[in-house]
Amino acid sequence: MEDVQPQSEVSATSTRRRFHIGAIYGLMTAISAALGLPALAYLLVPGKARKKQDWIEVGDITRLTLNVPVELAFRRNRVDGWKTLSEKSTAWVVKTSDTQVTAFGPQCTHLGCAYHWEQEGNHFLCPCHTSVFSIDGKVEAGPAPRPLDRYDTKIDGTRLLLGKLRVATEPSAGLRRPCDGAQRS
Amino acid sequence: MRRHWEGLNNWLDHRTGLPAAIRHFLYEDVPASAGWHQVFGSVALFLILVQFFTGIMLAFNYAPTPGEAYNSLRYILTEVTAGRLMRGLHHWGASMIIVVVVLHMVQVFLWGAYKKPREATWMVGVVLLLLTLAYGLTGYLLPWDNRAYWGTVVTTQIAAMAPGLGQYASRLLGGDGAVGVVTFARFYALHVLLLPPATLLLIGFHVYLVRKHGVAPAPSDAGRPKKKFYPEQVFKDTIGIFAAFAILFVLAIAVRVPLEQLADPTDTSYIPRPEWYFLFLFQTLKLFEGPLEVVGAVVLPGLAVLTLLLVPFLDRGQVLRVTKRTTAIAIVLFGAIGWAGLTTAAVVTTPKEARTVEVDYSAPTDWMQLTPEETTAVAYFRQADCDSCHGINGKGGSSASDFAKVPVRKDAAWVASHVQRSSKLNAAQVGIVAGFVGKLNERSISALENAPEFAAQGAVIYQANHCSTCHTVNGVGMKVGPVLNGLAKRQSRSWVIGHFIDAQKLAPGTIMPTYKLPVKDLDTLTTYLFSLPENGQ
């Protein structure tokens, strides 16, 4: 370009310049989006969990006494990233009828202490802050904010199978049907 | 609005001086001859930044130990959202950097842009090329599959050949020719801790030198006014960057990067091959044998690097028009032909891997654990086009329930009559499919989705010939004959096929009958058997 430019060339130059700058910003934005959006998905969108929690056999229901909670221990596999860990876990199991069983997660819903069954008081008692739960898991006293968590249960013949541990969402949730959320088989 | 923007700009300028620095950087003068041929440097820098980005992303889900590297990479590929894309970008980005860096060097070489006073810029560039190759070498090991492991075994043994320094090099790389946990840790440390900052420093120095001396002018620039770097040259660079990125993105999506079987140091039949850009070196190595091997492995590459470094001192004449630099053009052509020839020779002489089966370990491989009967159910399921209505995980039809999402609630008799009514399968096949569908679990759903056709058809042949009356696969069958899991480890493919055709010839006295199946069936059956996991469950 010469130093002295006719008016039309000046405007042609500035149009050209605007086009260049527009293209630079446009293409760089496109590249950033093409890298950034998948990266966000990579970090934030949970992947497909290939191995769902299996049903775990924990015992024979004929050995349980009606309305007497017992703590059953079992091992379950937990998927942690690329690893599957085998962990020991327990459940407080109550047989409510010959075909119905309720299984509670072993931790108090207040701060996660291990609670136990008090036969004389006919309730579950947490030793940490004296939360008390009835045999159907409802809060009777103490600071616990919600009923005991429950495992999905399934009865296959006389074998008791436990599934996922579910948090009771409603603070006032009462006794659900013991086989709620479970498949009949 | 504009006033606010200028105010903010002034404030920043006062406090940090950054806007002024950026302006200074962008409004640099470049010679009138600057243009499209100078975009490669910017493209290389951009690709390095993409590698940093995708590398960090991968590191978020990668466990850098031989025990877990493979599993965590498989996890990235099969389970993490966009994980396959991230790995694809990182893998293909590495190859593209090599291409672009070499193009950048060829351009500088052809134009003679390394001449006084730009010798140091060139030499730093050569070191950056070596660092780029070092990334490739160290990154190659990190997936810890067979390809990675055996490729690195060769590399470390070449390093050990260096006269005098060999033993130290080999010790630095973590073992006397052996590749294990120490080598892995060192390669990882080099790849993510040492190389990135070294690259950044040298790129900084390289760019600083380019700015100090200015972009090299051509003879035609004499008397012509200079141009500004921004926006015209930046625009050309951006187009180059965008084109490179588009190619990279398409490669990452369209070309599946293989993940082979977990590294197996006892696998003596694996034929290691280096990454494509090292193939010419590998072929050079083969030209020298015995005591001369060190020449191909160390001396020649060493001399080549030295020559490359000294180029500015070997060619010290006046800067000429690029079209008049016939010697430089001849050298580049000669180099390109030599490189292409050696690479082609290496590709052509690569033996077809007869033993291994092309199994894609980066996809779920649950199908390997199924019994032969279950695997035949997959074949019949597909044969009867069940998936034209019952899609699996959204693939296939959607007019009936997707088994991956909705569990089968009907009883066995209902399923059997449903299969009977909706397909042309015979009674036995209906029974197998109904039995399979009645007890679907995660593993068998994954198999329906992912089992390769050779496995499905191989299992059909296996069942049709009643192989399980003597053999066991994945824990099912009799043990009159040997268990067939791990067969690939014990016998070659040709042996197995020969054994089907005439067992007595290969194993006199065996009770194995003769199976005169069509060659294609024998092949499929063998491929299926070879793909079975060593320890069937």
Side-chain angles (χ1 to χ4, degrees), chain B residues 188-274:
Chain B
Y188 182 71
L190 284 172
H191 194 81
V192 308
L193 283 178
L194 187 71
L195 290 174
T199 321
L200 279 180
L201 274 177
L202 282 175
I203 289 177
F205 191 40
H206 192 69
V207 172
Y208 160 77
L209 287 172
V210 171
R211 302 311 295 257
K212 179 178 164 60
H213 300 301
V215 173
S220 61
D221 286 321
R224 289 169 70 192
K226 299 218 167 204
K227 298 191 289 191
K228 292 287 176 207
F229 178 56
Y230 182 84
E232 200 178 324
Q233 185 62 32
V234 175
F235 166 74
K236 288 176 179 157
D237 287 1
T238 307
I239 297 285
I241 286 170
F242 188 77
F245 182 74
I247 296 172
L248 173 60
F249 206 80
V250 169
L251 278 175
I253 288 178
V255 188
R256 221 175 155 105
V257 184
L259 178 66
E260 294 188 355
Q261 222 164 341
L262 178 67
D264 179 1
T266 63
D267 184 346
T268 49
S269 59
Y270 192 82
I271 305 164
R273 277 293 179 276

Side-chain angles (χ1 to χ4, degrees), chain A residues 45-65:
Chain A
V45 179
K48 50 177 175 185
R50 218 158 47 79
K51 297 185 185 73
K52 278 187 204 131
Q53 295 285 10
D54 291 332
W55 290 95
I56 294 161
E57 185 177 345
V58 292
D60 191 328
I61 50 163
T62 54
R63 300 219 185 130
L64 301 174
T65 317

Side-chain angles (χ1 to χ4, degrees), chain B residues 84-159:
Chain B
R84 188 177 286 283
L85 175 67
M86 290 297 155
R87 201 250 175 159
L89 288 171
H90 200 69
H91 175 93
W92 293 114
S95 284
M96 279 195 68
I97 284 187
I98 306 273
V99 173
V100 172
V101 163
V102 168
L103 287 176
H104 182 46
M105 285 190 94
V106 166
Q107 184 270 319
V108 171
F109 183 78
L110 282 179
W111 266 254
Y114 47 75
K115 293 193 177 187
K116 184 184 167 188
R118 299 184 176 81
E119 296 94 331
T121 323
W122 169 267
M123 292 167 82
V124 173
V126 173
V127 178
L128 278 168
L129 170 72
L130 297 180
L131 288 187
T132 314
L133 295 176
Y135 274 115
L137 214 61
T138 50
Y140 200 65
L141 179 63
L142 302 183
W144 199 253
D145 57 0
N146 254 339
R147 198 170 86 106
Y149 177 83
W150 289 102
T152 305
V153 166
V154 176
T155 314
T156 51
Q157 299 207 347
I158 288 176

Side-chain angles (χ1 to χ4, degrees), chain B residues 154 156-167 170 285 293-295 297-298:
Chain B
V154 176
T156 51
Q157 299 207 347
I158 288 176
M161 264 186 231
L165 299 172
Q167 50 168 327
S170 143
L285 191 59
E293 204 175 14
V294 66
V295 175
V298 185

